[in-house]
Amino acid sequence: MPPSLPRLGFSVGDLAGIGPEVIYKTLLDERLLKLCTPVIYGTATALFDDFPVAPDAEPLTFRQLRDAADIAPGRLNAVTCWDEDFALAPGQPSPATGQAARESLLAASRDLKAGKLDALVTAPISKDNTQADDFRFPGHTEFLTSFFDAPESLMFLVDEDLRIATVTGHVALKDVPTRLTPELLRTKIHLLLKSLKRDFGILKPRIAVLGLNPHAGENGLLGREEGDLVAPVIQQFAQDGHLVFGPFPADGYFGTQQFRQFDATLALYHDQGLIPFKLMAFERGVNFTAGLPVVRTSPDHGTAYGIAGQFRADESSFRAAVYTACQVWRQRWNDAQPRSAR
């Protein structure tokens, strides 16, 4: 067993969204402190004292810190990321809430890189409201890939035995065909195989790759990407002894629940993978970034401005993101130990 509980940093996301609420509801369960040491990046006042929650909600007590080096195990910790006060209106994003989201994410990421944290759980941001001159990323995944100097990363949605990754992420649909190359597809398959082994302990993973076109191209009638690009890459992995199969027509693949025969599915673009995933696991699914030298998870939903401040948000996905971060961290820790020490 690891010598201590993992120190999990929580970035707060856009404060006008449901991030504070799902964090609050998750932390109400004191059993969480037996799994990890939570470290919230943002002032406790802005997060909970000024944010409307249920009138009869229990108060949470935080140990407010200036430096994550002073984290106290067995306590709720909050690292101050900003000192200025600003008006906070649930459901109404502003430049101030976008700035707070950036500062929280940057502070948590710096501490994770410095070894003061063991993993990061990110609450939802607004990709538009978070943009700034020093932050030009379409999402968490792209920022963290750059910040931690990873050559590539993989958007990986997980829910128990349902796992769906994507080759392309936050890319306009019209640009997907030009982004897809044999090199990119090979890279993503390698990342997926490595993550299934390293992060989820699956020794001989089975992977299914989806086609790009309707009916996986129908033998070239509806598109040639499957025959010209996808199938040759899959054949090479099979020749190398990996259990990689496809390309499968996406509609029939999910409609017949063929995905249950595999440890993971690789979709070729964002919505091809995320639509079926969210249909089946929206309330408990987790977005995990594979390929990073660190552990990062998030809930699979967005800011949900429309219900912010109404205490209606479901925290199940955020809680699952915390559990997954703990599990992956432990899996990596165990994998790094000499066999004699396990």
Side-chain angles (χ1 to χ4, degrees), residues 208-232:
V209 181
L210 302 181
L212 176 67
N213 299 294
H215 307 290
E218 198 74 71
N219 294 320
L221 181 65
L222 303 178
R224 301 192 57 85
E225 286 85 356
E226 287 76 12
D228 294 347
L229 188 156
V230 182

Side-chain angles (χ1 to χ4, degrees), residues 96-141:
T97 64
Q99 179 181 348
R102 289 193 303 275
E103 292 182 0
S104 175
L105 175 60
L106 287 167
S109 299
R110 285 193 293 265
D111 283 350
L112 183 58
K113 181 179 280 190
K116 297 178 181 179
L117 299 173
D118 296 304
L120 174 64
V121 183
T122 58
I125 60 173
S126 163
K127 295 173 178 56
D128 176 59
N129 194 42
T130 309
Q131 299 301 306
D133 291 341
D134 59 348
F135 193 97
R136 295 294 182 190
F137 299 95
H140 281 115
T141 301

Side-chain angles (χ1 to χ4, degrees), residues 101-335:
R102 289 193 303 275
E103 292 182 0
S104 175
L105 175 60
L106 287 167
S109 299
R110 285 193 293 265
D111 283 350
L112 183 58
K113 181 179 280 190
K116 297 178 181 179
L117 299 173
D118 296 304
L120 174 64
V121 183
T122 58
I125 60 173
S126 163
K127 295 173 178 56
D128 176 59
N129 194 42
T130 309
Q131 299 301 306
D133 291 341
D134 59 348
F135 193 97
R136 295 294 182 190
F137 299 95
H140 281 115
T141 301
E142 293 80 5
F143 163 73
L144 293 167
T145 303
S146 172
F147 188 84
F148 288 98
D149 300 314
E152 273 287 354
S153 64
L154 184 73
M155 183 184 292
F156 196 5
L157 285 298
V158 299
D159 172 43
E160 296 182 350
D161 293 333
L162 174 63
R163 305 181 187 93
I164 303 177
T166 64
V167 175
T168 59
H170 299 121
V171 175
L173 187 58
K174 66 181 178 60
D175 296 329
V176 168
T178 57
R179 294 286 186 96
L180 287 173
T181 64
E183 293 75 20
L184 179 63
L185 184 55
R186 281 193 291 268
T187 296
K188 299 296 185 177
I189 293 175
H190 276 301
L191 286 173
L192 184 52
L193 287 168
K194 181 178 180 180
S195 181
L196 289 168
K197 295 175 184 177
R198 180 191 186 195
D199 301 324
F200 298 94
I202 301 172
L203 299 180
K204 192 69 173 177
R206 292 171 53 87
I207 293 176
V209 181
L210 302 181
L212 176 67
N213 299 294
H215 307 290
E218 198 74 71
N219 294 320
L221 181 65
L222 303 178
R224 301 192 57 85
E225 286 85 356
E226 287 76 12
D228 294 347
L229 188 156
V230 182
V233 172
I234 292 173
Q235 290 166 6
Q236 186 60 59
F237 273 93
Q239 290 171 10
D240 293 340
H242 298 289
L243 302 179
V244 180
F245 304 90
F248 295 97
D251 56 351
Y253 176 82
F254 288 110
T256 60
Q257 300 195 37
Q258 195 173 3
F259 65 89
R260 297 188 183 279
Q261 301 173 21
F262 300 92
D263 296 302
T265 303
L266 185 62
L268 298 189
Y269 57 93
H270 185 280
D271 283 10
Q272 186 184 54
L274 269 68
I275 287 174
F277 183 86
K278 291 189 176 185
L279 279 170
M280 291 183 278
F282 186 71
E283 292 183 351
R284 59 188 185 275
V286 176
N287 184 354
F288 168 62
T289 306
L292 299 181
V294 296
V295 177
R296 176 262 173 166
T297 64
S298 75
D300 69 350
H301 57 71
T303 53
Y305 291 130
I307 61 170
Q310 301 175 29
F311 214 64
R312 293 168 48 201
D314 188 333
E315 77 278 14
S316 301
S317 182
F318 192 89
R319 182 185 295 116
V322 173
Y323 292 160
T324 299
C326 292
Q327 292 164 359
V328 172
W329 176 80
R330 287 190 177 88
Q331 178 66 37
R332 289 191 182 186
W333 186 91
N334 288 330
D335 191 56

Side-chain angles (χ1 to χ4, degrees), residues 12-25 46-48 51 53 88 123-124:
V12 298
D14 195 311
L15 295 179
I18 62 171
E21 182 179 330
V22 296
I23 292 174
Y24 172 86
K25 288 179 174 178
L47 278 174
F48 301 113
F51 199 92
V53 295
L88 183 61

